[in-house]
Amino acid sequence: MHRRHQSIGESNSLPLLFRKIISDKRGSSYFDLMIKTLVVITLMVTVMSFLSIFTTYLNLNHVCRRIVRVVELEGQVSDKAYDVFYRLKQQTGLSPEMIVEDVEYCDGQKKIQLRDTFTVTMTYSHPFTIFTPSFAPPVQIMIPMRVSITGMSEKYWKPSD
Amino acid sequence: MERFKRILKDRRGDAFVFILILVFFILTLSAILIEYFRMESLYQQVEYVLQRGVNTSVEYAMLDEYRRDGYVRIDSELAKEKLYKYLHESMKLDSGLNKYADKEWVYELEIKSIDATDNPPRLTLNGALKTRSIFSFLTGEVRLPFSISSVNNRIEEGGP
């Protein structure tokens, strides 16, 4: 009899206990701090994930600049330029497409005469992950990037070369 | 006079004045930083383009008949002429070495000296980049000195 009475008393006091906990203001600043920390961490993670876009753009710019410099020194779109391009792709983890345009080749070969200009354009689509659910593939948006840098040949090609 | 003293002693609205001073400081600091990086970027860009001009001038003026025998010599007068041609044609500077972008003055190249030596084939350009900043009313025009040099020391087979 005593036991039965106790169990009825427990079931009745449960919502009352919750109500008391919710209305109790002691330790509220602790929860406040926890929520604020969570918000700040979420914001920081969001900002840091956006930073990856800028880093990728800077890397693409760096790759393009280096290739332009190689072509300037070589005076042609040579195997060395493609070799440097391949190495930089490996180093940065990017896989951009490269086009050399606005160029006038001399002697019908891929040689650029001294002080002739050319433009190297690189295009790349950066996959930006919004979130990664455990039950499905990651949700991504593709951010197109394009870098164009103009260079000038520093090599003199004699007509017989 | 009394009124002025009363205004100074009155503490009402001092937070507003404090915010105004704080905003002024932050804006000034941001302007200084932005202006510094703008000028740094301009300087590096001009230096890069000038280096390319000096390199190509040396390359143009190499005397091939000497190179064939393993010597490296340049025609110093031709190198100087090619450098000036580059400044006007490629860098699009006017006769006073001023650079304009959309009819707006950007900078002026002040060339102090162009030293060319035949052997070793070296071309050195000394001068300064004169430009304006948003703080020109305080500092006047800004002069950024540069010294750019190019040497061709490639020696092919042959020679003594």
Side-chain angles (χ1 to χ4, degrees), chain B residues 127-144:
Chain B
L129 172 74
K130 263 170 72 176
T131 186
R132 243 179 260 147
S133 79
I134 55 166
F135 299 103
S136 288
F137 65 95
L138 290 172
T139 57
E141 278 181 344
V142 182
R143 286 181 81 257
L144 305 163

Side-chain angles (χ1 to χ4, degrees), chain B:
Chain B
M1 194 65 186
E2 274 298 309
R3 198 178 160 202
F4 189 65
K5 272 184 191 170
R6 213 186 312 148
I7 290 171
L8 279 179
K9 279 182 182 174
D10 193 353
R11 292 204 166 189
R12 282 177 301 170
D14 58 351
F16 179 68
V17 176
F18 177 72
I19 288 167
L20 274 183
I21 293 168
L22 203 70
V23 167
F24 175 75
F25 262 104
I26 290 169
L27 285 179
T28 312
L29 202 70
S30 314
I32 289 171
L33 278 174
I34 292 167
E35 195 59 13
Y36 171 76
F37 283 111
R38 187 189 70 82
M39 289 182 74
E40 177 73 23
S41 156
L42 177 76
Y43 180 70
Q44 280 186 2
Q45 214 175 316
V46 172
E47 203 179 33
Y48 178 79
V49 174
L50 282 175
Q51 182 69 63
R52 194 164 62 190
V54 173
N55 288 349
T56 53
S57 300
V58 171
E59 181 79 3
Y60 252 126
M62 288 304 295
L63 295 168
D64 275 345
E65 54 271 31
Y66 284 91
R67 193 184 258 182
R68 233 176 276 137
D69 296 329
Y71 294 105
V72 276
R73 293 180 81 94
I74 57 164
D75 181 343
S76 51
E77 284 308 310
L78 181 65
K80 285 181 189 176
E81 187 195 314
K82 288 288 179 187
L83 181 59
Y84 274 108
K85 199 177 172 194
Y86 176 85
L87 295 177
H88 295 302
E89 287 181 6
S90 296
M91 287 182 72
K92 308 265 187 275
L93 303 181
D94 70 359
S95 53
L97 299 178
N98 291 290
K99 174 77 176 174
Y100 291 89
D102 298 327
K103 292 179 183 175
E104 201 176 311
W105 185 80
V106 185
Y107 63 80
E108 184 196 334
L109 275 191
E110 211 179 65
I111 293 179
K112 206 189 286 175
S113 65
I114 300 177
D115 305 317
T117 53
D118 293 354
N119 191 16
R122 177 183 288 130
L123 185 67
T124 308
L125 173 69
N126 292 304
L129 172 74
K130 263 170 72 176
T131 186
R132 243 179 260 147
S133 79
I134 55 166
F135 299 103
S136 288
F137 65 95
L138 290 172
T139 57
E141 278 181 344
V142 182
R143 286 181 81 257
L144 305 163
F146 59 78
S147 177
I148 292 159
S149 188
S150 178
V151 188
N152 188 320
N153 51 15
R154 185 171 52 197
I155 296 172
E156 304 286 339
E157 281 176 20

Side-chain angles (χ1 to χ4, degrees), chain A residues 18-88:
Chain A
F18 270 123
R19 228 180 284 163
K20 212 191 286 177
I21 287 170
I22 287 167
S23 62
D24 191 356
K25 290 208 169 182
R26 280 179 303 171
S28 65
S29 59
Y30 181 68
F31 283 95
D32 191 46
L33 192 72
M34 267 170 60
I35 292 164
K36 275 179 185 166
T37 311
L38 208 71
V39 168
V40 168
I41 287 171
T42 314
L43 272 173
M44 275 174 68
V45 168
T46 312
V47 168
M48 278 166 76
S49 63
F50 274 111
L51 275 180
S52 74
I53 300 170
F54 295 107
T55 314
T56 308
Y57 184 77
L58 285 177
N59 276 336
L60 190 67
N61 204 294
H62 168 73
V63 173
C64 195
R65 205 170 285 276
R66 287 286 303 273
I67 297 297
V68 166
R69 192 66 197 135
V70 173
V71 176
E72 277 181 342
L73 293 173
E74 288 283 307
Q76 61 181 332
V77 190
S78 61
D79 288 343
K80 272 188 187 169
Y82 285 109
D83 186 42
V84 172
F85 182 48
Y86 176 71
R87 280 191 211 173
L88 286 168

